[in-house]
């Protein structure tokens, strides 16, 4: 298997939003990228995405060899994979499709290459089931968009070798990502489950008439949200414990919080609740498009991450 420092050529299989974002990020780190996708206008859409992402990537800092000229597009997957040292797969989230796709990738990729899937919900046990060399297959699930958000969740399947997981972790870390290793495979992995846990309570509170959709967004984004962008919740509670730190928190504050946990609710996801959220979100967004909001979000998040790095956090 190729050493981390030997990884130079990356194949991107599937160039939708996630694949295109990955391509932009890998280019910004100085890699040569060969992308492939059978969709009509895939190459043009990919290059447009990369060009638009390059502005924010330039602000974050480009590697010395970073160049959009290092992006090429292959009409066939076999061509894209022929010299790949690392593969980032971003195909549709359908188990049957993933199994077939990974088997084809496995057959066409050099034996020493790592094959990573961006899958957000299908376990590697399923994905690698049709592969002849399943030991080199691993989940490398990014948080959207990968060219902005550092998190990558790494988890193998039953047949994934420990070496593959270690190398995937080391590779993602070496290019500026924040990889976390999952020791158990769960639907939705970890970060999406955390999002789901919070949003479940948000929807419950809205449905119970406790507050509006707009105020729920304010409660999160102007309450714990800014602090969560600086440090994680457990470290936050270390601060919340005052001079006694996390020990004081566990001894004196965890009890009341446990009672709140037991009182958390589960919403009934009715058509009416969905429409309530839709109507409110469209009102909050106003005349700003999804693209405009995403661009603003990326700009703010990039600034936050830069400030966090400078602060040593």
């Amino acid at each position: 298997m190729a050493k981390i420092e030997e990884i130079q050529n990356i194949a991107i299989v599937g160039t939708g939003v996630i694949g295109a974002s990955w391509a932009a990020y890998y280019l910004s780190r100085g890699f040569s990228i060969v992308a492939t996708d059978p969709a009509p206008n895939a190459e043009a859409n990919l290059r447009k995405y990369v060009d638009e992402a390059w502005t924010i990537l330039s602000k974050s800092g480009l590697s010395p060899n970073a160049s959009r000229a290092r992006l090429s597009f292959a009409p066939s997957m076999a061509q894209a994979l022929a010299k790949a040292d690392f593969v980032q797969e971003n195909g549709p989230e359908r188990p049957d499709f993933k199994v077939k796709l990974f088997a084809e990738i496995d057959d066409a990729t050099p034996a020493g290459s790592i094959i990573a899937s961006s899958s957000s919900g299908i376990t590697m046990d399923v994905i690698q089931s049709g592969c002849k060399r399943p030991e080199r297959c691993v989940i490398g699930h990014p948080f959207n968009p990968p060219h902005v958000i550092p998190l990558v969740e790494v988890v193998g399947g039953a047949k994934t070798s420990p070496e593959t997981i270690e190398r995937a972790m080391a590779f993602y870390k070496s290019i500026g990502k924040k990889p976390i290793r999952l020791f158990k495979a769960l639907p939705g992995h970890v970060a999406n489950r955390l999002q789901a846990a919070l949003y479940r309570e948000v929807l419950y509170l809205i449905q119970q008439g406790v507050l509006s959709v707009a105020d729920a967004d304010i409660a999160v984004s102007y309450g714990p949200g800014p602090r969560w962008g600086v440090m994680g919740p457990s470290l936050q509670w270390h601060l919340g414990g005052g001079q006694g730190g996390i020990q004081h928190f566990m001894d004196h504050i965890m009890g009341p919080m446990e009672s709140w946990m037991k009182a958390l609710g589960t919403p009934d996801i009715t058509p009416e609740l969905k429409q309530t959220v839709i109507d409110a979100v469209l009102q909050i967004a106003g005349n700003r498009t999804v693209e405009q909001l995403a661009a603003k979000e990326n700009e703010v998040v990039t600034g936050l991450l830069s400030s966090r790095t400078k602060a040593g956090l």
Side-chain angles (χ1 to χ4, degrees):
M1 188 171 288
K3 296 180 180 179
I4 298 306
E5 60 271 17
E6 294 175 347
I7 295 177
Q8 296 295 325
N9 302 309
I10 296 178
I12 300 291
V13 178
T15 59
V17 174
I18 299 298
S21 183
W22 265 126
Y25 186 77
Y26 284 133
L27 287 167
S28 78
R29 306 329 297 162
F31 293 97
S32 295
I33 306 299
V34 182
T36 188
D37 192 309
N41 302 315
E43 180 177 3
N45 291 336
L46 170 61
R47 293 189 182 279
K48 180 176 182 292
Y49 189 103
V50 170
D51 287 343
E52 292 173 350
W54 208 251
T55 300
I56 202 80
L57 286 165
S58 298
K59 291 180 180 179
S60 301
L62 301 174
S63 293
N65 295 326
S67 172
R68 284 171 283 181
R70 301 187 72 170
L71 171 63
S72 60
F73 194 92
S76 74
M77 190 168 69
Q79 288 176 280
L81 298 172
K83 297 181 180 180
D85 302 313
F86 189 95
V87 180
Q88 190 77 48
E89 174 273 327
N90 317 276
E93 287 286 284
R94 300 199 310 271
D96 56 340
F97 183 90
K98 289 280 194 192
V99 171
K100 183 175 183 294
L101 178 62
F102 249 67
E104 293 174 354
I105 293 174
D106 183 37
D107 286 342
T109 305
S113 306
I114 293 174
I115 306 174
S117 175
S118 298
S119 178
S120 60
I122 306 172
T123 65
M124 184 46 64
D125 281 350
V126 172
I127 294 172
Q128 68 186 183
S129 61
C131 295
K132 297 174 183 175
R133 290 167 289 192
E135 68 279 355
R136 63 187 181 140
C137 302
V138 66
I139 296 287
H141 174 246
F143 227 52
N144 192 30
H147 73 278
V148 175
I149 306 296
L151 178 68
V152 181
E153 297 172 315
V154 177
V155 59
K159 297 180 180 179
T160 304
S161 71
E163 181 186 14
T164 294
I165 295 174
E166 291 168 5
R167 289 184 178 277
M169 288 286 293
F171 172 66
Y172 286 126
K173 185 176 181 179
S174 74
I175 62 172
K177 286 296 185 179
K178 292 290 184 181
I180 60 171
R181 180 174 179 178
L182 279 56
F183 295 98
K184 292 183 179 181
L186 293 169
H189 308 311
V190 168
N192 276 331
R193 291 173 69 94
L194 295 175
Q195 284 195 132
L198 175 60
Y199 202 51
R200 178 177 65 180
E201 182 64 12
V202 166
L203 292 177
Y204 175 76
L205 294 173
I206 292 167
Q207 191 169 56
Q208 294 300 309
V210 175
L211 78 176
S212 67
V213 174
D215 282 350
D217 272 12
I218 290 172
V220 174
S221 63
Y222 284 95
R227 296 190 301 180
W228 288 340
V230 177
M231 58 184 72
S234 294
L235 188 56
Q236 279 289 337
W237 292 129
H238 183 49
L239 276 62
Q243 291 297 316
I246 192 65
Q247 185 67 56
H248 180 83
F249 172 82
M250 289 297 178
D251 291 343
H252 300 282
I253 304 174
M254 192 65 216
M257 179 169 285
E258 184 181 9
S259 69
W260 304 339
M261 291 177 180
K262 292 178 179 178
L264 295 175
T266 299
D268 183 12
I269 309 297
T270 62
E272 292 76 17
L273 177 59
K274 291 180 180 179
Q275 195 60 51
T276 295
V277 174
I278 291 170
D279 292 343
V281 168
L282 292 178
Q283 185 174 0
I284 295 167
N287 60 2
R288 297 170 295 180
T289 66
V290 170
E291 291 76 16
Q292 289 171 333
L293 287 168
K296 289 293 185 183
E297 180 187 54
N298 289 344
E299 183 179 347
V300 172
V301 170
T302 299
L304 171 63
L305 291 170
S306 177
S307 296
R308 183 173 178 174
T309 299
K310 291 176 182 177
L313 294 169

